[in-house]
Amino acid sequence: MKGWIARVRAGAGPLALLGVLTLAAGTLVVGAPRIANKLTDEGLRNEISQLSYTSRDLTYRGPKPEDATWTPGRRLEDQKTVFYPALRERVERSWWAASTVPEQSPVRGTGLPERTPPLFSVRTGSGFEEQVDLVEGRFPKTAPGSAGALEVVLTKWNAEKLEQRIGSTFRFQDQVTMEVVGIVEPHDEADTFWEPVPTGLRAYLPNDDGDPYRAVVFTDEAGLARVARLAQVVYEWRYRIDAATLDLGVLPDVVEATSVARRQGLETTLVTGLDGALARFAARARAAQALLAVVQLGALCTLAGLVLLAARVLVTRRRGEFALLRARGGAILTIGTYTLLESLLVIPAAVAGGLLGVALPGRPALTWPILVAFTALAVLAVPVMTMRIARDPSFSGERADVASARVGAKRRTAELSLLVLAGLGVWLLRKRGLSETGEVDVYLAAVPALLAAGAAVAMVRVVPPVVGRLGRLAARGRGAVGFLGLSRAGRTAGAVIGPVAVLVVAVSTAVFSVAVAATIDAGRDRATDLRMAADVKVDGYYFDDRTAAELAAVPGVTAVAPYALESAGDIMIGEQRRGTVYALVLDGPSYARVLERSGVAYTPPAAFTGATQGSMIPALVSPEAARQLGGEAGMVTLRGRFYEFTVAGVVDGFPPIANGTTNFVVLPLQAIPDNARQALLPNGFLLAGDPDPAALRAAGDAGQQRWASAGYDARAYEPVTTVTTWDQARAELDRTSVNALITFAYGIGAGTGVLLALLAIGFAVVSGARGRGTVLSRLRTMGLTRGQGRRLLLVELMPVVTVAVLTGAVVGVVMPQLLAPALGLAAFTDGLEVGVTFDPVVAGAAVALVLIGMLTALAVETLFNRRLRLGEVLRLGSFDAGES
């Protein structure tokens, strides 16, 4: 026991370092996936929570057959029963409802317009009375078979705007008398209960002449039955999924259950977008987790390299001890067992790291096998290296510069195999991607680390001859520091291949993280430019002709371009309809000024900005619209009018039409005849400058109010002007569901990369410290000062460290270029395919890392020399003698 304690004390420093590295690996392996799962699950729940009810909920719709015996409440439970458990267990709330089709629900009554009868849909269902407070009157109580008035209630807002009160009557299709018996106030207008019936809360108040009022009035089931013979009644059963119960682990089962639910309707049709939304999120999450796996494996490979270096330092320091044991007849296996018992102390550190990881918040991931493998590496590295050294015992050690000159066939084979594995991995990555089957391939995720290690091997083969030549040139100059430092650097570069490889992998991981993060940022900037096409965008229903001038007069506005955008215009050839498109009308010269003054990186085609009035309007169309037209001319309907155009160009996108829109037609306003512009009032404006959003909103509201005042009935019109700045649109992209995971991934990559790179530089110093200390001690007898000794260290390490850092930086920048098809960065940039961006900060960071690395080297060298007592070298002859 005393001997074991003595041996542990002799190697306490390297053993402690092994423990710290294993502790860090345990925390990284167990904790990082938990945090990643937490961020991913939060992003999923946030994204699902923001979906509209038509996408988030499962809504079954259908009529009730005349011979049906079921009740809606009972059918609500029966439908839920047939769901798969993965879906049924996550149903948070459910409702049934039945209502008349609005188009078949005209009413006439006191205070209501006579020329265009309002459309009052009659509705009943579960949960209504629990969602409202009775302000006045009572709830409907229609007696079955009653011939009296059909009793209804409506909200307070609707009652005021529609000029209805308790006792007001109106006739449904001029046949059934309806009487208002109650006025209610919703508890929470934002509650999901009201999403399917917004006009039940606030009636639609028409803005155009001939457009009817639309509202929903509520009755009981017996009351709805009285109008069912006059209008079609649609039943619906709605199930809300609890977003809090969703996570990435159950996502496949929920997607499958939702897809199957489309075929499980009981004589009804399912309306939902939940399965599609979940599948799209899963695709983005897979891409983000694949990127996280690349960064994690890079950091883990760096930690593994540092473990091997720490084990090598421990074994090298005790070379004389192992040689003495062999000389006394000790078996190789016995010596290895001694060191195995010592390295078992690493296991508690691994357990502690795993427990630290478990303590972090998040859903657990199956990563314990990786931690076990890493712990086995840390435990076995020392005994394996010990037994290797014990096979060829030596009391004097070996010269690093001589050893590095001998490159055997085994080492060459290993290096070539590494390069082949890296090259094959790149090919497979570009062909298959990182997560083709949904599971991350460990080998493919490790390809960047293999590339970095291969680059380090190539660097170690290239640097020594170059540095040797520089050393010979330095010999011609004055002073010995440059010559000695470069000569040692050329001879010992091969001996520090371990620290150099670790340094290159660490730096490449950090630079890869920064490069991909910069690429995503640049892609989002570009996507925002294409989404906005201006510094500010103002949207509304319709604005009058004076609004553009009033917006231009707002302080800070430097250019204004009005536009008219319709999302459902028809494109036609003659009288034949070919499809539905986004139709955009925009003034070309004004648009060009806005783009120029806002600095948006987009240049519109000259055929658009320079278009003039002629026989046909020159238009830009999308490739899909061009295919539908099949020629060079066509016609598009816009606000009830037909505009004939000729195709002046085919473009993949056109701001401010949303990114990814595949079917659109863009008409230049300046090329449309003056007598055909009456219907083209703007519903939006693109602005350059930095104005006050509140002032823009006020000007927009005034413009909409003036337009409404000139229309059919504006007595209750409430204008809503939306002002969106470029920064707001950019921030929206940053709030995407997996953005937090991406930030976390590249935070790990950059942070651990820099820290482990500095640690690798420390190992590079330690690996050559003995020989360097001997040289310094002897040179000091010849007059070498301490300052010259430090400069000698810098000259010796600077070439290797600088080239290693630059090699890692180059590999980190090149890797995204090589792996671009596999990274799937478009999932994080609003679907926009972007090239990899080089951030100049990377170059500055590389230089800073070299400088910090040199300071680290000086600090480590100083500590090492003080501990090993350089002044005793001449008296004792070597460090080994001093330590023994």
Side-chain angles (χ1 to χ4, degrees):
M1 185 67 179
K2 291 182 179 180
W4 179 80
I5 294 175
R7 290 194 298 271
V8 169
R9 290 182 61 186
L15 279 176
L17 184 57
L18 277 174
V20 171
L21 292 172
T22 308
L23 176 71
T27 306
L28 177 67
V29 169
V30 178
R34 292 178 69 95
I35 295 178
N37 287 341
K38 175 178 180 291
L39 296 175
T40 305
D41 295 344
E42 288 177 350
L44 169 63
R45 293 160 188 160
N46 181 63
E47 182 164 311
I48 297 303
S49 298
Q50 293 178 356
L51 294 176
S52 65
Y53 85 97
T54 54
S55 296
R56 174 179 177 176
D57 298 342
L58 280 70
T59 304
Y60 288 91
R61 290 177 180 157
K64 182 177 183 180
E66 294 183 1
D67 58 347
T69 58
W70 48 261
T71 61
R74 181 60 185 170
R75 177 58 61 92
L76 185 69
E77 295 300 322
D78 292 343
Q79 181 64 68
K80 180 180 176 180
T81 303
V82 302
F83 289 159
Y84 278 11
L87 191 61
R88 183 173 60 248
E89 294 168 358
R90 289 172 174 81
V91 173
E92 176 186 13
R93 300 165 64 186
S94 59
W95 308 266
W96 71 267
S99 57
T100 60
V101 175
E103 288 71 18
Q104 299 179 12
S105 308
V107 297
R108 297 182 182 276
T110 305
L112 300 176
E114 291 292 333
R115 183 168 51 177
T116 305
L119 301 178
F120 283 8
S121 177
V122 183
R123 185 178 181 90
T124 188
S126 61
F128 174 73
E129 295 186 8
E130 291 78 10
Q131 292 292 328
V132 298
D133 289 324
L134 197 62
V135 176
E136 188 178 354
R138 58 179 176 80
F139 289 109
K141 295 180 181 178
T142 304
S146 171
L150 192 156
E151 298 180 347
V152 298
V153 299
L154 68 166
T155 60
K156 182 180 179 181
W157 194 94
N158 280 351
E160 293 175 352
K161 299 299 181 181
L162 300 175
E163 300 181 359
Q164 301 297 306
R165 58 187 61 84
I166 299 296
S168 296
T169 59
F170 40 86
R171 292 183 62 79
F172 184 89
Q173 290 191 5
D174 289 329
Q175 298 187 48
V176 176
T177 300
M178 307 175 76
E179 180 182 357
V180 177
V181 298
I183 296 175
V184 298
E185 184 77 30
H187 295 159
D188 180 11
E189 292 189 5
D191 190 274
T192 183
F193 176 86
W194 300 100
E195 286 187 89
V197 283
T199 54
L201 284 173
R202 297 173 181 266
Y204 168 74
L205 306 177
N207 301 308
D208 290 335
D209 191 2
D211 196 10
Y213 286 80
R214 295 171 183 266
V216 174
V217 295
F218 299 90
T219 186
D220 55 10
E221 195 170 354
L224 184 67
R226 293 187 54 189
V227 296
R229 59 184 178 83
L230 302 176
Q232 180 184 357
V233 175
V234 176
Y235 283 80
E236 63 180 43
W237 295 265
R238 179 176 163 219
Y239 303 88
R240 164 136 297 202
I241 303 301
D242 185 3
T245 63
L246 296 175
D247 58 57
L248 201 61
V250 302
L251 211 55
D253 293 338
V254 176
V255 171
E256 180 187 8
T258 306
S259 299
V260 172
R262 293 184 180 278
R263 305 189 299 269
Q264 293 177 323
L266 304 178
E267 300 177 338
T268 54
T269 301
L270 175 62
V271 178
T272 187
L274 183 63
D275 49 351
L278 293 178
R280 289 190 296 272
F281 178 87
R284 292 195 298 273
R286 282 197 300 270
Q289 290 189 327
L291 292 173
L292 175 63
V294 170
V295 172
Q296 278 185 293
L297 273 174
L300 202 59
C301 289
T302 306
L303 285 169
L306 291 173
V307 163
L308 296 177
L309 293 178
R312 181 181 176 185
V313 169
L314 175 60
V315 172
T316 302
R317 288 182 57 180
R318 299 171 63 183
R319 177 186 291 272
E321 174 192 342
F322 300 144
L324 183 60
L325 289 173
R326 283 287 286 157
R328 292 176 175 175
I332 294 176
L333 185 59
T334 302
I335 298 173
T337 303
Y338 285 157
T339 54
L340 175 62
L341 294 175
E342 300 164 21
S343 61
L344 287 176
L345 292 173
V346 171
I347 294 179
V351 174
L355 293 176
L356 281 176
V358 170
L360 295 174
R363 179 168 45 85
L366 185 60
T367 54
W368 286 103
I370 300 176
L371 177 58
V372 170
F374 190 93
T375 305
L377 172 68
V379 169
L380 297 176
V382 173
V384 170
M385 290 185 182
T386 299
M387 290 187 290
R388 181 176 179 275
I389 287 180
R391 286 182 179 277
D392 185 18
S394 172
F395 287 95
S396 60
E398 60 180 8
R399 286 181 58 186
D401 53 340
V402 175
S404 64
R406 299 192 301 267
V407 181
K410 293 182 179 179
R411 180 167 175 177
R412 289 190 183 277
T413 302
E415 292 175 355
L416 289 174
S417 300
L418 177 64
L419 294 175
V420 170
L421 282 174
L424 179 62
V426 171
W427 180 77
L428 289 174
L429 267 177
R430 293 177 66 89
K431 186 176 180 64
R432 293 170 44 189
L434 277 168
S435 55
E436 185 182 43
T437 61
E439 297 292 334
V440 176
D441 190 307
V442 175
Y443 165 58
L444 295 182
V447 166
L450 293 175
L451 276 175
V457 169
M459 187 209 82
V460 169
R461 294 287 166 257
V462 172
V463 168
V466 176
V467 175
R469 289 181 179 275
L470 293 176
R472 287 191 289 273
L473 291 175
R476 302 176 184 177
R478 299 181 61 184
V481 172
F483 165 69
L484 291 173
L486 291 174
S487 297
R488 283 187 54 80
R491 291 196 305 270
T492 60
V496 294
I497 184 172
V500 166
V502 173
L503 177 58
V504 172
V505 173
V507 173
S508 66
T509 301
V511 173
F512 172 79
S513 302
V514 173
V516 175
T519 298
I520 292 175
D521 282 341
R524 287 175 175 172
D525 289 345
R526 176 65 174 159
T528 305
D529 282 349
L530 296 180
R531 177 186 288 190
M532 289 288 295
D535 291 324
V536 184
K537 191 160 68 168
V538 177
D539 293 300
Y541 192 75
Y542 288 121
F543 301 91
D544 73 344
D545 292 331
R546 292 166 46 191
T547 309
E550 292 185 355
L551 289 173
V554 172
V557 175
T558 58
V560 177
Y563 67 85
L565 178 64
E566 293 290 328
S567 60
D570 293 332
I571 55 172
M572 308 174 68
I573 297 179
E575 296 184 356
Q576 185 179 7
R577 180 180 177 277
R578 291 300 182 93
T580 302
V581 297
Y582 276 87
L584 173 66
V585 179
L586 184 62
D587 182 69
S590 299
Y591 181 53
R593 284 193 297 272
V594 169
L595 291 174
E596 178 183 0
R597 296 178 184 180
S598 62
V600 172
Y602 177 74
T603 303
F608 176 79
T609 56
T612 58
Q613 293 185 9
S615 58
M616 295 280 281
I617 303 171
L620 301 178
V621 300
S622 65
E624 177 62 20
R627 185 192 64 79
Q628 293 174 349
L629 290 170
E632 298 182 354
M635 185 165 51
V636 61
T637 61
L638 190 61
R639 297 180 183 172
R641 299 197 60 169
F642 296 92
Y643 295 89
E644 295 183 357
F645 64 87
T646 181
V647 177
V650 178
V651 293
D652 293 328
F654 193 92
I657 296 176
N659 300 334
T661 302
T662 59
N663 219 12
F664 60 83
V665 173
V666 183
L667 305 179
L669 180 64
Q670 75 274 14
I672 298 177
D674 295 339
N675 59 4
R677 298 185 186 182
Q678 291 85 351
L680 299 179
L681 287 174
N683 56 7
F685 299 89
L686 304 176
L687 282 70
D690 187 21
D692 179 15
L696 296 178
R697 194 173 295 109
D701 287 347
Q704 291 194 77
Q705 191 67 57
R706 286 194 302 271
W707 167 81
S709 298
Y712 165 62
D713 187 356
R715 60 181 174 174
Y717 183 66
E718 295 183 358
V720 177
T721 301
T722 302
V723 177
T724 306
T725 65
W726 191 96
D727 290 336
Q728 289 173 334
R730 177 65 175 81
E732 183 181 344
L733 291 180
D734 281 340
R735 288 193 295 268
T736 53
S737 51
V738 294
N739 187 69
L741 177 59
I742 298 171
T743 303
F744 172 69
Y746 295 120
I748 287 181
T752 60
V754 171
L755 292 176
L756 297 180
L758 295 177
L759 195 54
I761 292 174
F763 274 109
V765 174
V766 171
S767 63
R770 294 181 180 277
R772 194 164 44 248
T774 303
V775 171
L776 285 175
S777 296
R778 290 171 180 168
L779 288 175
R780 284 175 187 171
T781 65
M782 303 177 189
L784 188 75
T785 65
R786 290 184 180 274
Q788 288 176 321
R790 286 191 289 269
R791 288 199 296 274
L792 179 62
L793 171 67
L794 293 178
V795 173
E796 179 181 339
L797 291 182
M798 182 68 78
V800 176
V801 171
T802 301
V803 175
V805 170
L806 293 179
T807 301
V810 170
V811 172
V813 171
V814 170
M815 277 195 299
Q817 303 277 359
L818 290 175
L819 309 181
L823 295 178
L825 299 183
F828 316 121
T829 57
D830 201 27
L832 184 68
E833 295 288 346
V834 293
V836 179
T837 302
F838 175 75
D839 192 343
V841 175
V842 173
V847 174
L849 184 59
V850 171
L851 296 177
I852 296 173
M854 290 299 97
L855 294 175
T856 303
L858 285 174
V860 172
E861 180 82 354
T862 301
L863 291 174
F864 197 88
N865 289 345
R866 287 179 178 176
R867 187 171 184 271
L868 295 181
R869 303 181 298 278
L870 291 179
E872 299 181 7
V873 169
L874 296 179
R875 179 170 59 84
L876 298 176
S878 71
F879 287 108
D880 291 333
E883 287 183 353
S884 62

